Amino acid sequence: MGDVDVLFLHPSTRVLTAEGEVVRYLAIPMGTFALADLLERSGYSARIVHTGLERMLDPSYRVEDSLRMLEPKLVGIDLHWYCHAYDAIELAGCVKRYSNAKVVLGGMTASFFAEELLSSFGCVDYVIVSDAELPMLELTRAVTGDGDVHDVPNLLYRKGSVVKGSGRAYVASGEDLDKLTCSNIRLLKDWDLYIRLIHENDALSPKLKTQGWLMIGRGCSVNCSYCGGASLAHRSIFGRQRPIFRSPEKVVEDLRVFEELGISCAYMDFDPYPDRKFYYRLFELVRREKVDISSQFLVWSLTDRNFVREFRRAFNPLYTTLTISPETGSESVRLLNKGFYYDNQSLLRWLEMLEEEMVPVELYFASGLSGEDVEEFKKTMRLGERILRAYHNVVGASCSPLFLEPCSPRFLMPKKYGIRLKFKRFSDFYEVYRCFAEGAVPPSRLGYETEHLDEPRIIELSSKFNEMVNSLMMSEKANPMVE
């Protein structure tokens, strides 16, 4: 094949177990598809390779095979999620060993740790800090042309041993997002298998289900203590003062393409304003255009009945669910940690309303929240059990220990949130995921401990919750007629 201008490599989170290697967190950031498509429409050739997916399909797969086949001039590696810290650097090193391509990293984790990445890893040539659309286009033009990158916006690079930047800033607007196409997943090698495997943690995940992640906007209006994508992060990394949306028309265009590609369910995780005015317009347009697709919608706050009815009318019911993350059964802990607060009675009334409207719902809880001790977590156990016993439209409930996220309020202000940081630099995240990949015991799994709970206890609490859920579900299967 050969002579591809830009190759996007998606890193994987590899975990070596006694049974062999497991690849986790399969989703590719939606912006990667948009960038590859933007380059293609601008006259450059671009391809995407999901290295974890390729290893799942063929354990003998090596990244150097893709490099030799495609001969890219520039390789983009997404380091959006911290769980890819180790593999992103491994990929960058591989690119340098087996090709002459330049390497650029981007995404929220790369942006936050940009200077450390360039200072510590010679295999990384550039880091795009913040939004990448215009910078990636200009960087590609420079690398495939005159090689002068000094004026590329949002770009950091090395000059000798010194990290430099152009000084030009670019912050994407809603109008900029409307110029993107986020559904050209055919640029991904083995895309047809990717859409069948992406819903790895979904409660409704039969083999026939296919899923695509939908880009709706960027940013957040609140600060959840544990979230690296909170309003504070978008202000400090991106310079974005408020959330931005694509137009409903552009979102529906992507939904239409999803339908044509055989994607049966659109994953929607962008809900920064409780009034949801945008979604009423979107749902009406979905109905008018007769797009036939399901939706897994992650709501960030409780909704009213009208929203639920409009949502239900817009999407095919086959795989359609609403998902919410109360995180805890303790109202005081929820108030301290959640940007959108609601009390338990309001949550229960909302679940009852969803049951009346016949809409399935999934719930996510967490352990390791600030202000939480063992007694407070018992409230989470009691709330979870009450919900599972009372509401038959609940198709899934689980609890996970919180991981420390870079640029989250807890990372930036640990004393305020009562935690002790064990991860402070990129190298700390790199080390823990190196240990996972090599089957070693990491010095820390979560990156922190709270003033009340150490790491083993935080992990143990989530396990207890999930054991309770499994026990209740097994009991219900054994006695389906028992109310």
Side-chain angles (χ1 to χ4, degrees), residues 2 21 34 64 109 127 179 182 219 235 254 272 298 353 415 460:
E21 183 179 89
E64 48 264 39
T109 299
V127 176
K179 297 173 185 176
C182 307
R235 288 172 183 266
D254 281 343
L298 281 70
M353 181 262 290
K415 289 185 179 180
E460 177 191 4

Side-chain angles (χ1 to χ4, degrees), residues 402-449:
L402 290 174
F403 286 79
L404 181 66
E405 297 195 8
C407 210
S408 65
R410 298 211 306 174
F411 186 94
L412 298 174
M413 298 173 286
K415 289 185 179 180
K416 176 180 178 180
Y417 290 100
I419 68 168
R420 184 177 72 83
L421 298 184
K422 298 182 180 180
F423 297 168
K424 298 180 180 180
R425 298 168 53 82
F426 175 80
S427 57
D428 298 323
F429 292 90
Y430 173 91
E431 177 64 16
V432 68
Y433 286 97
R434 181 194 66 79
C435 289
F436 288 152
E438 296 177 357
V441 178
S444 169
R445 295 178 66 89
L446 305 181
Y448 70 97
E449 60 186 15

Side-chain angles (χ1 to χ4, degrees), residues 77-98:
I77 301 172
D78 61 90
L79 181 47
H80 187 63
W81 294 303
Y82 61 88
C83 59
H84 295 131
Y86 173 69
D87 206 51
I89 299 303
E90 288 296 289
L91 290 178
C94 187
V95 172
K96 289 304 182 183
R97 288 193 298 274
Y98 294 101

Side-chain angles (χ1 to χ4, degrees), residues 288-304:
R288 191 165 67 222
E289 295 295 318
K290 295 182 172 58
V291 181
D292 186 14
I293 195 169
S294 298
S295 170
Q296 181 183 1
F297 192 113
L298 281 70
V299 296
W300 296 359
S301 60
L302 301 182
T303 71
D304 60 20

Side-chain angles (χ1 to χ4, degrees), residues 94-141:
C94 187
V95 172
K96 289 304 182 183
R97 288 193 298 274
Y98 294 101
S99 80
N100 295 315
K102 295 292 186 179
V103 173
V104 58
L105 269 57
M108 293 196 75
T109 299
S111 295
F112 186 65
F113 291 117
E115 292 192 30
E116 182 183 350
L117 286 165
L118 286 166
S119 298
S120 302
F121 300 99
C123 54
V124 179
D125 296 301
Y126 315 113
V127 176
I128 294 177
V129 177
S130 180
D131 294 319
E133 287 74 29
L134 180 61
M136 192 68 190
L137 190 58
E138 292 196 11
L139 178 62
T140 302
R141 186 178 298 124

Side-chain angles (χ1 to χ4, degrees), residues 223-226 300 302 324-348 363-365 369-372 376 379-380 383-384 387 417:
N223 289 300
C224 295
S225 70
Y226 46 82
W300 296 359
L302 301 182
I324 194 167
S325 299
E327 307 297 7
T328 175
S330 167
E331 293 176 345
S332 62
V333 172
R334 190 180 301 134
L335 181 62
L336 176 61
N337 289 274
K338 292 284 286 185
F340 290 115
Y341 173 76
Y342 42 85
D343 60 32
N344 289 343
Q345 285 304 312
S346 297
L347 173 63
L348 295 174
L363 297 103
Y364 293 111
F365 295 88
L369 291 156
S370 296
E372 180 180 76
E376 292 299 306
K379 298 177 183 179
T380 301
L383 179 63
I387 287 171
Y417 290 100

Side-chain angles (χ1 to χ4, degrees), residues 131-187:
D131 294 319
E133 287 74 29
L134 180 61
M136 192 68 190
L137 190 58
E138 292 196 11
L139 178 62
T140 302
R141 186 178 298 124
V143 169
T144 59
D146 60 17
D148 184 5
V149 303
H150 302 107
D151 200 37
V152 175
N154 296 359
L155 190 73
L156 292 187
Y157 58 91
R158 268 189 315 274
K159 188 173 183 179
S161 60
V162 179
V163 176
K164 296 278 190 176
S166 70
R168 286 180 63 201
Y170 165 76
V171 180
S173 64
E175 291 76 16
D176 291 328
L177 296 191
D178 267 356
K179 297 173 185 176
L180 304 176
T181 298
C182 307
S183 54
N184 190 0
I185 62 173
R186 284 195 174 98
L187 293 173

